[in-house]
Coordinates of all heavy atoms in Angstrom, one line a residue:
F2 N 0.5 6.0 4.4 CA 1.4 4.8 4.4 C 2.8 5.2 4.1 O 3.7 4.8 4.8 CB 0.9 3.7 3.4 CG 1.7 2.5 3.4 CD1 1.4 1.4 4.3 CD2 2.8 2.4 2.6 CE1 2.2 0.3 4.3 CE2 3.6 1.2 2.6 CZ 3.3 0.2 3.5
M3 N 3.0 6.0 3.1 CA 4.4 6.4 2.7 C 5.0 7.2 3.8 O 6.2 7.1 4.1 CB 4.4 7.1 1.4 CG 4.0 6.2 0.2 SD 4.0 7.1 -1.4 CE 5.7 7.4 -1.6
D4 N 4.2 8.1 4.4 CA 4.8 8.9 5.5 C 5.3 8.1 6.7 O 6.3 8.4 7.3 CB 3.7 9.9 6.0 CG 3.5 11.1 5.1 OD1 4.4 11.3 4.2 OD2 2.5 11.8 5.2
K5 N 4.6 6.9 6.9 CA 5.0 6.0 8.0 C 6.1 5.1 7.5 O 6.9 4.6 8.4 CB 3.8 5.3 8.5 CG 2.8 6.1 9.3 CD 1.6 5.3 9.8 CE 0.7 6.1 10.6 NZ -0.5 5.3 11.1
A6 N 6.1 4.8 6.3 CA 7.1 3.7 5.8 C 8.5 4.3 5.5 O 9.4 3.5 5.6 CB 6.5 3.1 4.5
Y7 N 8.6 5.5 5.2 CA 9.9 6.1 4.9 C 10.4 7.0 6.0 O 9.6 7.7 6.6 CB 9.8 6.9 3.6 CG 9.6 6.1 2.3 CD1 8.4 5.6 1.9 CD2 10.7 5.7 1.6 CE1 8.2 4.8 0.8 CE2 10.6 5.0 0.4 CZ 9.4 4.5 0.0 OH 9.2 3.8 -1.1
C8 N 11.7 7.1 6.1 CA 12.3 8.2 6.9 C 12.1 9.5 6.2 O 11.7 10.5 6.9 CB 13.8 7.9 7.0 SG 14.3 7.3 8.6
R9 N 12.3 9.6 4.9 CA 12.1 10.8 4.2 C 11.1 10.4 3.0 O 11.6 10.0 1.9 CB 13.4 11.3 3.6 CG 14.4 11.7 4.7 CD 15.8 12.0 4.2 NE 16.3 10.8 3.5 CZ 16.9 9.8 4.2 NH1 17.0 9.8 5.5 NH2 17.4 8.7 3.5
A10 N 9.8 10.5 3.2 CA 8.9 10.1 2.2 C 8.9 11.0 1.0 O 9.0 12.2 1.2 CB 7.5 10.1 2.8
P11 N 9.0 10.4 -0.2 CA 9.0 11.3 -1.4 C 7.7 12.1 -1.5 O 6.6 11.6 -1.2 CB 9.1 10.3 -2.5 CG 8.7 9.0 -1.9 CD 9.0 9.0 -0.5
K12 N 7.8 13.3 -1.9 CA 6.6 14.2 -2.1 C 6.1 14.0 -3.5 O 6.5 14.7 -4.4 CB 7.0 15.6 -1.8 CG 7.6 15.8 -0.4 CD 6.6 15.4 0.7 CE 7.3 15.6 2.1 NZ 6.4 15.1 3.2
L13 N 5.1 13.1 -3.7 CA 4.6 12.8 -5.0 C 3.3 13.5 -5.2 O 2.5 13.7 -4.3 CB 4.3 11.3 -5.1 CG 5.6 10.4 -4.9 CD1 5.1 8.9 -5.0 CD2 6.6 10.7 -5.9
P14 N 3.1 14.0 -6.5 CA 1.8 14.7 -6.8 C 0.6 13.7 -6.8 O 0.8 12.5 -6.8 CB 2.0 15.2 -8.2 CG 3.2 14.4 -8.8 CD 4.0 14.0 -7.6
E15 N -0.6 14.3 -6.7 CA -1.7 13.4 -6.5 C -2.0 12.4 -7.6 O -2.4 11.3 -7.3 CB -3.0 14.3 -6.3 CG -4.2 13.6 -6.0 CD -5.4 14.5 -5.5 OE1 -5.1 15.5 -4.9 OE2 -6.5 14.1 -5.8
H16 N -1.7 12.8 -8.9 CA -2.0 11.9 -9.9 C -1.1 10.6 -9.9 O -1.5 9.5 -10.3 CB -1.9 12.6 -11.3 CG -0.5 12.8 -11.8 ND1 0.3 13.8 -11.3 CD2 0.2 12.1 -12.7 CE1 1.5 13.7 -11.9 NE2 1.4 12.7 -12.8
I17 N 0.1 10.8 -9.4 CA 1.0 9.6 -9.2 C 0.5 8.8 -8.0 O 0.4 7.5 -8.1 CB 2.4 10.1 -9.0 CG1 3.0 10.7 -10.3 CG2 3.3 8.9 -8.6 CD1 4.4 11.2 -10.2
L18 N 0.1 9.4 -6.9 CA -0.4 8.6 -5.8 C -1.7 7.9 -6.2 O -1.9 6.8 -5.7 CB -0.7 9.6 -4.6 CG 0.5 10.2 -4.0 CD1 0.0 11.3 -3.0 CD2 1.4 9.2 -3.3
R19 N -2.5 8.5 -7.1 CA -3.7 7.9 -7.5 C -3.4 6.6 -8.3 O -4.1 5.6 -8.1 CB -4.5 8.8 -8.4 CG -6.0 8.3 -8.7 CD -6.7 9.3 -9.6 NE -6.7 10.7 -9.0 CZ -6.1 11.7 -9.5 NH1 -5.5 11.6 -10.7 NH2 -6.2 12.9 -8.9
E20 N -2.4 6.6 -9.1 CA -2.1 5.4 -9.9 C -1.4 4.4 -9.0 O -1.6 3.2 -9.2 CB -1.2 5.7 -11.1 CG -1.1 4.5 -12.0 CD -0.1 4.6 -13.1 OE1 0.6 5.7 -13.2 OE2 0.0 3.7 -13.9
I21 N -0.6 4.8 -8.0 CA 0.0 3.8 -7.1 C -1.1 3.1 -6.4 O -1.1 1.9 -6.2 CB 0.9 4.6 -6.1 CG1 2.2 5.0 -6.9 CG2 1.3 3.6 -5.0 CD1 3.1 5.9 -6.0
A22 N -2.1 3.9 -5.9 CA -3.3 3.3 -5.2 C -4.0 2.2 -6.1 O -4.4 1.1 -5.7 CB -4.3 4.3 -4.8
A23 N -4.1 2.6 -7.4 CA -4.8 1.7 -8.4 C -4.0 0.4 -8.6 O -4.5 -0.7 -8.7 CB -5.0 2.4 -9.7
R24 N -2.6 0.6 -8.6 CA -1.8 -0.6 -8.8 C -1.8 -1.5 -7.6 O -1.9 -2.7 -7.8 CB -0.3 -0.1 -9.0 CG -0.1 0.7 -10.2 CD -0.1 -0.1 -11.5 NE 1.2 -0.8 -11.7 CZ 1.3 -1.7 -12.6 NH1 0.4 -2.0 -13.4 NH2 2.5 -2.3 -12.8
I25 N -1.9 -0.9 -6.4 CA -2.0 -1.8 -5.2 C -3.3 -2.5 -5.2 O -3.4 -3.7 -4.9 CB -1.8 -0.9 -3.9 CG1 -0.4 -0.3 -3.9 CG2 -2.1 -1.7 -2.7 CD1 -0.2 0.7 -2.8
A26 N -4.4 -1.8 -5.5 CA -5.7 -2.4 -5.5 C -5.8 -3.5 -6.5 O -6.6 -4.4 -6.3 CB -6.8 -1.3 -5.8
A27 N -5.1 -3.4 -7.7 CA -5.2 -4.4 -8.7 C -4.4 -5.7 -8.3 O -4.6 -6.8 -8.9 CB -4.5 -3.9 -10.0
R28 N -3.6 -5.6 -7.2 CA -2.9 -6.8 -6.7 C -3.8 -7.4 -5.6 O -4.8 -6.8 -5.2 CB -1.6 -6.4 -6.1 CG -0.6 -5.9 -7.2 CD 0.6 -5.2 -6.7 NE 1.5 -4.9 -7.9 CZ 2.4 -3.9 -7.8 NH1 2.5 -3.2 -6.7 NH2 3.1 -3.6 -8.9
P29 N -3.5 -8.6 -5.2 CA -4.5 -9.3 -4.3 C -4.3 -8.9 -2.8 O -4.3 -9.7 -1.9 CB -4.1 -10.8 -4.5 CG -2.6 -10.8 -4.8 CD -2.4 -9.5 -5.6
T30 N -4.2 -7.6 -2.6 CA -4.0 -7.1 -1.2 C -5.2 -7.4 -0.3 O -5.0 -7.9 0.8 CB -3.8 -5.6 -1.2 OG1 -4.8 -5.0 -2.0 CG2 -2.4 -5.3 -1.9
K31 N -6.4 -7.2 -0.8 CA -7.6 -7.5 0.0 C -7.7 -9.0 0.2 O -8.1 -9.5 1.3 CB -8.8 -6.9 -0.6 CG -10.1 -7.1 0.3 CD -11.3 -6.4 -0.2 CE -12.4 -6.4 0.9 NZ -12.7 -7.8 1.4
A32 N -7.5 -9.8 -0.8 CA -7.6 -11.3 -0.7 C -6.7 -11.8 0.3 O -7.0 -12.7 1.1 CB -7.4 -11.9 -2.1
I33 N -5.5 -11.2 0.4 CA -4.5 -11.7 1.4 C -4.9 -11.2 2.8 O -4.8 -12.0 3.7 CB -3.1 -11.1 1.0 CG1 -2.6 -11.8 -0.3 CG2 -2.1 -11.4 2.1 CD1 -1.3 -11.1 -0.9
T34 N -5.3 -10.0 2.9 CA -5.7 -9.5 4.3 C -6.9 -10.2 4.8 O -7.0 -10.5 6.0 CB -5.9 -8.0 4.3 OG1 -6.9 -7.7 3.3 CG2 -4.7 -7.2 4.0
D35 N -7.8 -10.7 3.9 CA -8.9 -11.5 4.3 C -8.5 -12.8 4.9 O -9.3 -13.4 5.7 CB -9.9 -11.7 3.1 CG -10.7 -10.4 2.8 OD1 -10.7 -9.5 3.6 OD2 -11.3 -10.4 1.7
Q36 N -7.3 -13.3 4.5 CA -6.9 -14.6 5.0 C -5.9 -14.5 6.2 O -5.5 -15.5 6.7 CB -6.1 -15.3 3.8 CG -7.0 -15.7 2.6 CD -8.1 -16.7 3.0 OE1 -7.9 -17.6 3.8 NE2 -9.4 -16.5 2.5
L37 N -5.6 -13.3 6.6 CA -4.6 -13.2 7.7 C -5.3 -13.7 9.0 O -6.4 -13.4 9.2 CB -4.2 -11.7 7.9 CG -3.4 -11.1 6.7 CD1 -3.0 -9.6 7.1 CD2 -2.1 -11.9 6.5
S38 N -4.5 -14.5 9.7 CA -5.1 -15.1 10.9 C -4.0 -15.1 12.0 O -2.8 -15.4 11.7 CB -5.5 -16.5 10.6 OG -5.8 -17.2 11.8
K39 N -4.4 -14.8 13.2 CA -3.5 -14.8 14.3 C -3.0 -16.3 14.6 O -1.9 -16.5 15.2 CB -4.1 -14.3 15.6 CG -4.3 -12.7 15.5 CD -4.6 -12.1 16.9 CE -4.6 -10.6 16.8 NZ -4.7 -10.0 18.1
K40 N -3.7 -17.2 14.1 CA -3.3 -18.6 14.2 C -2.0 -18.9 13.5 O -1.3 -19.8 13.8 CB -4.4 -19.6 13.7 CG -5.6 -19.6 14.5 CD -6.7 -20.6 13.9 CE -7.9 -20.6 14.8 NZ -9.0 -21.5 14.2
E41 N -1.7 -18.0 12.5 CA -0.5 -18.2 11.7 C 0.7 -17.3 12.2 O 1.7 -17.3 11.5 CB -0.7 -18.0 10.2 CG -1.6 -19.0 9.6 CD -1.6 -19.0 8.1 OE1 -1.8 -17.9 7.5 OE2 -1.5 -20.1 7.5
L42 N 0.5 -16.6 13.3 CA 1.6 -15.8 13.8 C 2.7 -16.8 14.2 O 2.5 -17.9 14.5 CB 1.1 -15.0 15.0 CG 0.2 -13.8 14.7 CD1 -0.3 -13.1 16.0 CD2 0.9 -12.8 13.8

C-alpha cells in the first residue's frame, strides 16, 4: 500500500510496519469496507 500511495515511500523496518498494520486493523476498516456499495457512488 505504501509503495503505491507515496511518490517516495519511506523505508520502514518490519516491526514498525507490523504495528502500523495492527493500528489499521484496530480501526473499523473491515466494517467500512463491508458496507461499501456501488449504489453510493
Side-chain angles (χ1 to χ4, degrees):
F2 181 89
M3 293 180 70
D4 285 343
K5 291 181 177 180
Y7 287 85
C8 253
R9 298 169 298 278
K12 304 301 180 184
L13 301 178
E15 184 167 330
H16 77 283
I17 294 180
L18 293 173
R19 191 181 305 116
E20 194 187 359
I21 291 173
R24 297 286 282 171
I25 295 170
R28 292 167 180 157
T30 49
K31 187 175 187 308
I33 293 170
T34 55
D35 285 346
Q36 293 298 318
L37 293 181
S38 169
K39 290 196 173 185
K40 293 180 180 178
E41 292 195 313
L42 289 175

